[in-house]
Amino acid sequence: MNRRTLLRGAAAALGGGAATAAGLQVAAEPADGQTGLTLEVSGDDATIDSDGAVASVTLDIDVEWQYDLPDATAPETVVVEVAAGTDGALSVVASAESAELFAEADGSESFDVGLLAEGALTAADVEPDGSGTRETTVTIEARLRVESSNGSVLAKESTSDTAVLTVTREGVSASEYGAVGGDGSLTIGTSSTE
């Protein structure tokens, strides 16, 4: 059994876990070697009152990666990126680079990032209009890139998972139904000292 067969077996063991996992995608091209990523993201739910708002959405994620390049290659850098968004519009919210000089390696990167602060989501993307419940499907994508010293990409891979954010607004905001207005004027009164 060669290294590549062993890598495929290890990749299947890593990706076979939970029902919500996006699964492991392994791309095998002789020139680029083999790469692997695992990714599983769970959603959350929250309840806000009638005048409440979503203040933050935090992604806390560990990305596991691996690659197996042909022996003649000379990798120098591994880049791991995390992108997030809704409706297919993803933006990179975090990245990490590490030096890797071996033709075969694996590792993990941990990220803790605010999706509202990074602009991947807005509060309006997840809050219901008025009272009720809104479910928002957020796509999280992990990307792996192995580069040589001259910046050539020796191997790359990406995998994604979706998570549902559920926000329920209890009651109704009175400000949605009330109105106030009018007109007026200010008058200055003076007095004489004589």
Side-chain angles (χ1 to χ4, degrees), residues 5-148:
T5 306
L6 285 171
L7 179 63
R8 284 191 192 99
L14 284 172
T20 58
L24 180 71
Q25 301 174 4
V26 177
E29 296 181 16
D32 292 338
Q34 295 179 338
T35 59
L37 283 171
T38 61
L39 186 65
E40 178 182 340
V41 183
S42 59
D44 195 15
D45 58 79
T47 301
I48 56 179
D49 62 24
S50 60
D51 292 318
V54 173
S56 67
V57 176
T58 303
L59 174 63
D60 184 2
I61 189 169
D62 296 317
V63 179
E64 298 175 6
W65 56 267
Q66 61 188 19
Y67 69 85
D68 185 3
L69 298 170
D71 292 333
T73 58
E76 183 173 281
T77 307
V78 169
V79 180
V80 176
E81 294 179 336
V82 175
T86 59
D87 301 325
L90 303 182
S91 58
V92 175
V93 294
S95 65
E97 292 186 12
S98 60
E100 294 292 339
L101 304 178
F102 299 103
E104 179 181 353
D106 58 56
S108 65
E109 297 289 346
S110 297
F111 301 97
D112 187 353
V113 60
L115 299 186
L116 296 185
E118 291 296 324
L121 296 174
T122 66
D125 291 333
V126 296
E127 291 178 1
D129 294 328
S131 62
T133 299
R134 181 174 183 178
E135 291 186 345
T136 305
T137 301
V138 180
T139 301
I140 308 296
E141 183 174 88
R143 302 168 182 169
L144 169 68
R145 194 170 66 247
V146 183
E147 298 178 348
S148 67

